[in-house]
Amino acid sequence: MLDRLSITNFKAFATADITFGRYTLLSGLNSSGKTTVLQALALLRQSHGTLDEEGGGFLLNGDLVELGVGQDILHENYVSVDDAEPRIELTLQCGDESRSWAVGYEREADLLQIRDRSHSPVEVRSTSLFGTGFQYLRADRISPAVSYPRSHEVAIRQGFLGSRGEHTVNYLRHFQDEPVTDKRLHHPQSRSRGLLDQTEAWMQEICPGVNLQTDAIEGTDSVRLSFRFGTAGLSASNRYRPTNVGFGLTYVLPVVVACLTAQPGSLLLLENPEAHLHPRGQTAMAMLTCAAAAAGAQLVVETHSDHVLNGVRLSVKERRLSAEDVVLHYFRRSTDGIEILTPTLGSDGMLSNWPEGFFDEWERSLDRLLD
Ligand SMILES: Nc1ncnc2c1ncn2[C@@H]1O[C@H](COP(=O)(O)OP(=O)(O)OP(=O)(O)O)[C@@H](O)[C@H]1O
Ligand SMILES: [Mg+2]
């Protein structure tokens, strides 16, 4: 499991130390550094093939993240030792192993080369970050579309849903009958353990009666997703293409599939699983993400939703996930940069403290309404 990431001079942070649990929730104001943490991890994975090569380093633009060039990622007020050339450094800790990668700064380069190779300490090959079962779903995910890509290599062989979830439809088409193995992930109303049935059952938490179908479009490299609506006993609707059924269903599909297919040792980085969902659906999605953690995956979830937070608290209170597995980080800007506060969650779902600004808007609004 990934236990800690230390960051020096990367994007929003001059320095930062972020600890991870089996389930880590990143919250805080906009532009407070949450995605920067996920991008640092994604950057390491994206660069993995070159990190150990001579001349290799951080590949700033790739399938997971497109960060630009050196000047985009070097923290504006960077720290450096004795006015030396600035370094951008990321350190991972997994159990008692840790490893740092420090790259030199080049203003216009999109490959920043590793410095001091000889000082590399222990390998951290075991981390889920570099293994199979990794998913990173960005906030700018797939929107409803007429067709989606069909890549056997990415979706089937690598089992990667795409950083925008763009390979999810093809993945679901291929693996729709594969059983969801861990029963903690099973939805009680699902017709079977099969991935498609389980996906539908969880999607019905968001939209009751929804059914999914995936098809290859003959003669093309594309696949199609369609939705049908109808509850038991009532005749089903026609099939509708995603562009005609609103945003939420398509947008959340990769999150549902990522959680249902998570295995022990998987690492899921999820940005805003709540996006475009109504409040009850947001809580349901949080419960599903917690089920994936209980099933043995590690999750780092960025959210703005108090319903997601409450879904996590309920999962803990209802004994679906252990309180020790949950780490809550609240990012906020201060005069000294970004500070990260970490209230602890008790087994009763209650928090040790509520920092100002941490999901307190309900209370603040109520105070004004009742004034
Ligand atoms: N090179 C840089 N130097 C200093 N700060 C930077 C640099 N690049 C980005 N930032 C800061 O990082 C912020 C964006 O951080 P990030 O994307 O992690 O925010 P976030 O907390 O995920 O926000 P949101 O809630 O909107 O998703 C920018 O507003 C900017 O202030
Ligand atoms: Mg963000």
Side-chain angles (χ1 to χ4, degrees), residues 25 38 171 192 215 220 227 263 295 328-329 340:
L25 200 74
L38 302 180
Y171 183 95
S192 78
D215 303 287
T220 71
F227 296 100
Q263 302 287 327
L328 305 174
H329 289 311
I340 304 176

Side-chain angles (χ1 to χ4, degrees), residues 79-133:
V79 289
S80 76
V81 181
D82 301 332
D83 285 336
E85 170 204 45
R87 299 277 171 99
I88 297 157
E89 184 164 350
L90 299 175
T91 303
L92 285 183
Q93 193 186 326
C94 304
D96 34 1
E97 291 186 333
S98 82
R99 170 134 191 216
S100 298
W101 293 270
V103 297
Y105 171 63
E106 278 180 73
R107 192 183 152 89
E108 293 300 331
D110 61 358
L111 163 63
L112 300 184
Q113 294 187 2
I114 299 273
R115 300 281 194 262
D116 294 341
R117 231 166 244 292
S118 53
H119 295 305
S120 291
V122 197
E123 271 291 351
V124 193
R125 287 227 175 268
S126 59
T127 172
S128 46
L129 183 61
F130 301 128
T132 54

Side-chain angles (χ1 to χ4, degrees), residues 11-13 28-37 39 71-77 272 302 304 333:
K11 290 197 66 184
F13 299 104
L29 301 191
N30 291 107
S31 287
S32 60
K34 303 178 298 297
T35 297
T36 303
V37 172
Q39 287 177 335
Q71 72 167 339
D72 296 306
I73 72 153
L74 178 71
H75 181 68
E76 205 175 313
N77 304 311
N272 307 101
E302 173 179 347
H304 286 298
R333 283 183 179 275

